[in-house]
Amino acid sequence: MKIHPLWEAYPELKSELEATVNLMENNITIRNKDIEKTIIELIHSGGKLLRPAYTILFSKFGSKPDSEKIQAVAAALEILHMATLIHDDVVDDSPLRRGTPTIQAKYRKDVAVYAGDYLFTVCFKLLSKYSSSIESIQIDTRGMERILMGELDQMHLRYNQKITMRQYLTQISGKTAQLFALSCFSGALEGGSTEKFARSCYYIGSHIGMAFQIMDDILDYSQSAEIFGKPVLEDVRQGVYSAPLIFALRKNPKAFAPYLSKKADMTNEDIQTVHQLVVTLGGVSQAQELAEKYTRKALKGIDKLPDIPEKEQISEITKSLLGRHL
C-alpha cells in the first residue's frame, strides 16, 4: 500500500495510517464493482491523510488509546471527508480530483450523488460500531451538520461580489475546519482524555483547518493545474470566491466587475486577468498573513499540550502546512 511520503519520518504513525486505509477499503462494498473500484481508487489517490493522522496523534494523550477503535474513528472521518469531496465535484461540475477523473465525470452526476450518500452511511456504520458513547456520536453528527451548513453557505454566496471576509471565514469554518476539529476532538476523547481536554483539542484542530483551507485557496493562485490536481481558478468561474480574491475585491471592486459579472461565461483570458489583479492588489500576500495568523493560534494551543513524543509530531506536521504543495 502506498502512503504519502510525508509519513516516512513517522514509522509508527505510518503503520497506523496504513491500517486505517485498509479499514476504509474493507468497508466499501457496492454491487456495482466499477463504482466500488472508483471509490477505492479515490481512497488511494494520493491524499495526505492529515485528518486521520491528527485523530491518531491526539488519541495518544488519553489514558487508554485503543488502536482498533481509534483507527475506525479516523477511517469514519476520512470517509466523511471523501463524501464531501464527491458532492463538491458534483456541485462544481469538476472533471478532476487529485489529477484523476471524478466519479461524476465518469458515471454521471446522479451516480456520484448516491456514491457520496453511500459513504455517509459507511461513516455512521463505523462510528456506531466503535464510538465509546452515544454522546460522542452526537458530537460527530453535530459536526457533520456544520460541515453541510458550510456547503450550503458556499452555494448561497456564489457570484456574490460583495462577499465579506466574515462570511468567507464562517463558510470555511464549517466546511473545512470542522473536519479537522472533529478529528482532533474525537481522537482525544476516544483515546480516554477528558471532555475538557478534548474540547481544547477541538479548537486546535479548527485553527489548523482554517490555515489549511486558506493555504489551499492561495495555491489556487500559485500552482499549475498539473501540480494542483484540479483546474486552476475554476472556483472563480463557478462563483466561489476565496480569501485572495476577497482581499483584492475590497481594494478595487470596479476592476473586477467586468470579468466577474460574466459568471460561468468567463473566458480563460478573463480568468488570467482576474488572477493578475489579485496578485497585483496584494490579495495573495494578505491571505498568506491570514493563514499564518491561524497557524500561530494552532501552534500556541499545541505548545500547551502535555509533553509526550506525539506533541512534537503534531507541531512539526502543523508547521509544514504553510509550506505545503499538493
Side-chain angles (χ1 to χ4, degrees), residues 193-316:
S193 295
T194 64
E195 186 165 343
K196 181 181 178 182
F197 178 80
R199 183 60 58 185
S200 67
C201 298
Y202 175 97
Y203 289 115
I204 292 170
S206 180
H207 295 321
I208 291 169
M210 296 294 282
F212 185 92
Q213 183 59 55
I214 296 164
M215 280 305 304
D216 234 26
D217 295 337
I218 292 167
L219 286 172
D220 213 15
Y221 287 84
S222 59
Q223 298 280 25
S224 68
E226 291 74 22
I227 294 172
F228 202 27
K230 63 180 182 180
V232 175
L233 288 189
E234 188 59 30
D235 279 353
V236 176
R237 190 181 270 120
Q238 298 286 346
V240 178
Y241 302 155
S242 61
L245 177 55
I246 295 167
F247 278 125
L249 267 169
R250 275 180 174 178
K251 291 188 176 176
N252 193 346
K254 288 182 180 178
F256 289 96
Y259 309 103
L260 298 183
S261 296
K262 294 182 183 181
K263 298 184 177 180
D265 294 326
M266 289 177 73
T267 65
N268 289 338
E269 291 75 22
D270 293 333
I271 291 286
Q272 288 309 312
T273 302
V274 168
H275 180 281
Q276 192 55 52
L277 280 169
V278 169
V279 174
T280 303
L281 290 167
V284 174
S285 57
Q286 278 190 276
Q288 181 78 36
E289 289 173 13
L290 185 61
E292 289 171 358
K293 172 187 158 189
Y294 280 105
T295 302
R296 284 195 298 272
K297 283 185 175 183
L299 292 173
K300 187 176 178 182
I302 292 166
D303 284 344
K304 295 176 182 175
L305 293 171
D307 288 320
I308 63 172
E310 285 76 14
K311 173 182 175 177
E312 184 57 34
Q313 293 178 22
I314 292 168
S315 183
E316 287 173 4

Side-chain angles (χ1 to χ4, degrees), residues 35-48:
I35 297 172
E36 179 181 283
K37 181 171 176 280
T38 302
I39 291 175
I40 289 172
E41 283 171 358
L42 180 58
I43 293 173
H44 293 283
S45 64
K48 283 193 173 77

Side-chain angles (χ1 to χ4, degrees), residues 110-129:
D110 53 347
V111 173
V113 169
Y114 286 124
D117 291 347
Y118 167 74
L119 290 182
F120 280 120
T121 68
V122 175
C123 169
F124 276 110
K125 182 172 72 174
L126 282 165
L127 285 177
S128 63
K129 183 176 179 182

Side-chain angles (χ1 to χ4, degrees), residues 70-89:
I70 299 303
Q71 288 160 15
V73 172
L77 292 174
E78 187 65 5
I79 285 170
L80 171 62
H81 172 54
M82 285 175 53
T84 65
L85 294 183
I86 292 171
H87 284 166
D88 260 359
D89 291 336

